Each structure stands twice: as C-alpha cells, then as structure tokens.
Amino acid sequence: MTESATESTVEAWPEPPLAGTEAAAVLGALERQRATLAWKCSGLDAAGLQATVGASTVTLGGLLKHLAHVEDSHFARLWLGVPVGAPWDAVDWDSDPDWAYRSAAQDTPGQLRTLWQESAARSRATVDAALRAGGLDQLGAHVTRSGERPNLRRILLDLIEEYARHVGHADLIRESVDGLTGEDPPR
C-alpha cells in the first residue's frame, strides 16, 4: 500500500517558535499541522489513500481534498471576499456536501497531493501578503449576518482547528494502513 521510495520525503519538520511573535506562533502551529497531514498521507498508493477505519467513510485522500477546499475557501471567501475558484466552484455543495470526500477516490494520489499542496501554497501567499500589509488584527472582507468581520487571527485559528481535528482522523487511518504512528516523522 505504499508508493516507491522515489516519492518526495517530508521536508524539515516545522516547529513553532518557543518565544516568537504572535504571528510566528500562529503560522508555526498551522505549518506543523500541515506537515503532519502531509506525513500521514505520504508514501501511500491509491489503496492506502482510500482506506477507511470502522464505520467511517473518511479516507486520507478525502482528507487531502477536503483540506484543499478548506484552504481555498477560507481565504477566498473569508479574507478576500471573492468566490472560491476551480474545482470548487463547479460543485453543487447543497446537493453533495461530502463531494470532496466522495470524489477523492476518482483522483490519483499525485492529483490529490498536488491539489492540496497548491491550495496550501495559495493560502501561504495570501497570508504573507496580508501580513506585509498589517498584523493579525486586520479584518477580512467577509461580513457575517450580524455585521461582523473575522480578523486574520480568527481565520488562521479556525484553519488550525480544522487541521488538528482531521490530523487526528489521519492518525487512525494511517495506523490501520501500515502501522505508522506518532506525532512527527523520525529524524
């Protein structure tokens, strides 16, 4: 259930600073969650990315695709106030809210990893530009029903929470595939 050894290995493990700025701590925590997901999904072929645990239908491939959507939608919708782009804009989310999870089985491991990596790269670029313009207190473009706007801090913390929850799922699924366990890759 694993791909050949030619698949790229996990890069240097990101660690939030012990005494850095608030922005560095928040971004460091997010990067650690992203790295953990990447590690839990690394080295697996299609069968490994489609494995499930118990009664759940959640797969590692589905998590990659779902989190790619979360990355794109959080920053497009909440920060920039623009519609999310392809492939998300072609989905009827009302009639198929689990589309990302369900459709992941139709994608190759390379397609899933690339989709997630490109979404995370877009998010990083958006956050970098936002931080160059100001700090975490800047307000995003999205306006809630009550007239409030989320600041960059809240958007990033929500993203960390989303990753942390799903990295827990990834831990269980990956262990069921090949026994890989732990919080970060061996060094």
Side-chain angles (χ1 to χ4, degrees), residues 19 48 66 71:
H66 167 70
E71 291 269 5

Side-chain angles (χ1 to χ4, degrees), residues 47-71:
L49 289 179
Q50 292 175 20
T52 60
V53 175
S56 175
T57 59
V58 174
T59 66
L60 292 170
L63 289 173
L64 283 170
K65 196 163 189 175
H66 167 70
L67 286 165
H69 176 242
V70 169
E71 291 269 5

Side-chain angles (χ1 to χ4, degrees), residues 13-97:
W13 198 252
E15 195 62 39
L18 293 175
T21 65
E22 181 184 14
V26 169
L27 293 176
L30 178 55
E31 288 303 328
R32 182 170 50 194
Q33 292 298 319
R34 285 173 173 151
T36 303
L37 179 73
W39 179 53
K40 295 295 179 176
C41 296
S42 68
L44 295 176
D45 61 10
L49 289 179
Q50 292 175 20
T52 60
V53 175
S56 175
T57 59
V58 174
T59 66
L60 292 170
L63 289 173
L64 283 170
K65 196 163 189 175
H66 167 70
L67 286 165
H69 176 242
V70 169
E71 291 269 5
D72 281 338
S73 66
H74 264 56
F75 292 105
R77 190 174 56 80
L78 299 175
W79 183 251
L80 300 171
V82 299
V84 68
W88 322 115
D89 58 348
V91 177
D92 180 356
W93 293 101
D94 291 333
S95 68
D96 196 358

Side-chain angles (χ1 to χ4, degrees), residues 120-136:
R122 282 189 293 278
S123 293
R124 286 184 191 101
T126 299
V127 171
D128 287 348
L131 289 175
R132 281 193 304 276
L136 296 174

Side-chain angles (χ1 to χ4, degrees), residues 137-183:
D137 290 328
Q138 297 176 84
L139 297 177
H142 177 74
V143 179
T144 66
R145 289 181 205 150
S146 63
E148 295 179 282
R149 292 169 45 200
N151 63 22
L152 183 57
R153 176 186 299 102
R154 173 61 188 264
I155 294 168
L156 289 167
L157 291 174
D158 284 354
L159 193 57
I160 292 167
E161 181 181 343
E162 184 78 4
Y163 266 96
R165 188 164 54 97
H166 290 312
V167 164
H169 299 132
D171 285 338
L172 294 172
I173 298 167
R174 182 61 188 250
E175 184 176 5
S176 78
V177 171
D178 62 7
L180 183 131
T181 61
E183 293 180 3

